Amino acid sequence: MTAGSHAALPEPTDWLGRPVSCVDCPHEEIRAEGRCDRGRICVRDRRARRIDRFFAGNPGEAEKYLSHPYFEIRTLAARRASLFLLPPLIDDPEPDVRAVVAQRLPLARIARLRDDPDRKVRMVMAQRLEGAALVGMLADPDYAVRLVAVRHVPPDVLPSAMQDPDPQVRCEVARRVKADVLPAMLYDNDPLVRIAVAERLEPSQLVALVDDEDLRVRWIVAERGAVAALPSLCNDVDPEVRQRARDRLAALQPAEPQEGRHGPRA
């Protein structure tokens, strides 16, 4: 980078849009030791990356900023500060701060964050909870929270989420549910769910999908299905499905013996 291009960089500003100045900064000793650098490593800067660099190099300073008015500073400070100082932040007005608290504090201290009004906090809780508390999150009003929940609940619980209103959630269910109950999702109304089902079914079970309206599902049947599923797909309306079914049928069917190939024995 040339001197001219460096000079063209915008002046760093704080969270209120004011120019960052080192004159009244309380971290003169840290600056003298090279552990902060205006425009690159600075807790007074509005840019999260520069703030995070400051706390990464000076983790002992984090506790001093847990009540700072700028939420980004509180969020980044909460990642570095001692756990013993975090409980007051359970009620922080900023969801990013509460999400960090939900990640770090023991579950016994943050149980009520399971019902936090912000989904990003509830998503963190769905990653950490277990047992009945996690199962209860399968009924969360936000699909993103339910998606995290279905990725973490035991497979035995997943049948209760087979009828989830969101297809992304049902896709994840289809990927994780036990094989013996997977056929119950054969006729889901979303093709992406049926694709996920077709990718896991036993080849003999795929015959049920030979007439699926989505060519991607039929292609999977042509690619994975048992011999019984292939004849009808050899005449499929889609040329790629037809060709794949014909190729596999030819490969799976035993070759017919050719009479006289070796001639009569003497």
Side-chain angles (χ1 to χ4, degrees):
M1 181 180 290
T2 65
S5 62
H6 181 77
L9 290 174
E11 282 290 303
T13 57
D14 67 12
W15 67 287
L16 294 174
R18 301 171 303 194
V20 172
S21 172
C22 297
V23 174
D24 58 344
C25 178
H27 300 299
E28 182 177 347
E29 183 178 336
I30 288 175
R31 184 170 69 254
E33 296 175 355
R35 290 184 285 125
C36 66
D37 182 9
R38 181 176 176 272
R40 197 174 72 87
I41 307 171
C42 182
V43 74
R44 307 184 84 181
D45 205 297
R46 71 185 305 166
R47 297 194 180 187
R49 183 174 297 178
R50 296 172 182 176
I51 300 168
D52 194 43
R53 287 175 184 152
F54 177 85
F55 288 133
N58 306 282
E61 298 295 319
E63 63 184 51
K64 302 175 183 177
Y65 288 91
L66 293 175
S67 59
H68 194 278
Y70 184 32
F71 82 93
E72 199 76 78
I73 289 180
R74 297 198 309 277
T75 301
L76 295 169
R79 293 178 181 172
R80 309 278 182 177
S82 166
L83 291 178
F84 297 104
L85 301 175
L86 296 185
L89 297 181
I90 293 175
D91 297 311
D92 192 278
E94 175 58 42
D96 284 354
V97 177
R98 300 196 304 274
V100 173
V101 172
Q103 289 172 335
R104 297 196 61 204
L105 281 179
L107 285 173
R109 302 296 302 271
I110 56 172
R112 59 190 173 91
L113 291 181
R114 175 182 169 225
D115 300 313
D116 192 274
D118 193 278
R119 77 171 186 172
K120 70 178 65 175
V121 180
R122 301 198 307 276
M123 288 171 70
V124 173
M125 295 300 291
Q127 290 175 332
R128 296 194 61 197
L129 288 171
E130 298 177 351
L134 176 57
V135 172
M137 300 201 82
L138 293 174
D140 192 276
D142 193 289
Y143 87 94
V145 178
R146 301 195 305 275
L147 186 59
V148 175
V150 299
R151 288 172 176 165
H152 289 82
V153 294
D156 287 338
V157 177
L158 289 172
S160 65
M162 282 183 173
Q163 303 300 321
D164 190 278
D166 191 275
Q168 293 184 66
V169 176
R170 299 198 305 277
C171 276
E172 191 62 30
V173 173
R175 295 184 187 108
R176 294 196 62 230
V177 74
K178 287 187 174 181
D180 59 340
V181 294
L182 184 61
M185 303 185 75
L186 265 169
Y187 304 110
D188 190 279
N189 60 15
D190 192 285
L192 294 179
V193 178
R194 299 198 302 277
I195 289 171
V197 172
E199 288 173 341
R200 289 191 59 211
L201 284 174
E202 292 294 326
S204 60
Q205 297 173 308
L206 287 171
V207 67
L209 293 172
V210 294
D211 295 319
D212 193 277
E213 63 183 21
D214 194 285
L215 69 89
R216 296 168 296 180
V217 176
R218 300 196 307 278
W219 196 92
I220 293 174
V221 177
E223 171 69 20
R224 298 189 60 244
V227 171
L230 299 176
S232 63
L233 293 177
C234 288
N235 298 307
D236 194 87
V237 294
D238 183 82
E240 293 188 18
V241 174
R242 284 200 307 270
Q243 189 59 51
R244 187 66 190 121
R246 291 170 182 175
D247 290 345
R248 282 200 71 239
L249 190 59
L252 292 175
Q253 285 183 331
E256 295 184 5
Q258 299 180 16
E259 292 186 12
R261 180 178 177 184
H262 301 293
R265 293 185 178 182

